[in-house]
Amino acid sequence: SDGAGVITPNADGIKNTPSFRAGSSAYTSVANSTMTTLAIDTESWDTDSFFDTSTYKFTPTIAGKYWFSATAYLNSGNNTDYFLIQLMKNTSMFAQSGIVSNDYNSPCTTGAIDLNGSSDYVSVRVYQQTGGTVDIEGQNFCGFKLIGA
């Protein structure tokens, strides 16, 4: 504070970092009735270099509560009986959204979770039922550390 009540957010404890936003450089092919990790390999930003574009995981070394969002878009022309997206903490799902629909499916899921700052990581999986393999496009994954939580 400057003494007059004006706070300048330079202290680490009052920033929404680490944060990242990542997408994909290509489609991810997903076989029918198979849970598949999205190949999210392109970063828009990554404030602390905690997102790994080769493993598609966000692994922060700062413990705390984090908020995440993920979307995926089923390539046009593919009808599906069911399309699901999940946020995973390590190997356990903590948020998911599903769509039962025809063409142009785009589920989005969000969730907040505690991460230990050492071994916990977050990734995104999808599942589809079309009767065949389909391409997932428009993949986005982002997150940030919550302040005051």
Side-chain angles (χ1 to χ4, degrees):
S1 168
D2 67 358
V6 177
I7 297 174
T8 304
N10 288 330
D12 287 338
I14 57 174
K15 293 181 181 179
N16 284 105
T17 59
S19 72
F20 76 98
R21 182 184 183 279
S24 296
S25 62
Y27 297 160
T28 298
S29 292
V30 178
N32 183 57
S33 300
T34 303
M35 203 51 92
T36 303
T37 299
L38 283 181
I40 297 174
D41 61 357
T42 304
E43 295 174 326
S44 298
W45 76 82
D46 185 359
T47 62
D48 296 81
S49 300
F50 292 149
F51 187 80
D52 188 328
T53 57
S54 63
T55 63
Y56 323 124
K57 297 175 183 176
F58 177 73
T59 311
T61 59
I62 300 169
K65 293 178 179 12
Y66 286 78
W67 180 89
F68 295 95
S69 175
T71 60
Y73 182 73
L74 186 64
N75 196 356
S76 65
N78 289 295
N79 292 326
T80 182
D81 293 329
Y82 191 65
F83 187 29
L84 174 75
I85 187 167
Q86 296 181 330
L87 287 169
M88 304 293 295
K89 175 183 174 181
N90 305 324
T91 58
S92 299
M93 183 272 301
F94 71 91
Q96 71 177 359
S97 178
I99 295 175
V100 179
S101 177
N102 285 326
D103 204 1
Y104 303 105
N105 296 295
S106 183
C108 173
T109 190
T110 61
I113 196 159
D114 282 308
L115 299 178
N116 65 16
S118 59
S119 59
D120 286 341
Y121 64 87
V122 177
S123 60
V124 181
R125 297 191 320 180
V126 292
Y127 174 91
Q128 61 85 17
Q129 289 180 331
T130 61
T133 298
V134 298
D135 289 330
I136 306 299
E137 60 180 307
Q139 307 157 43
N140 291 294
F141 180 31
C142 63
F144 58 88
K145 186 175 181 294
L146 295 168
I147 57 173

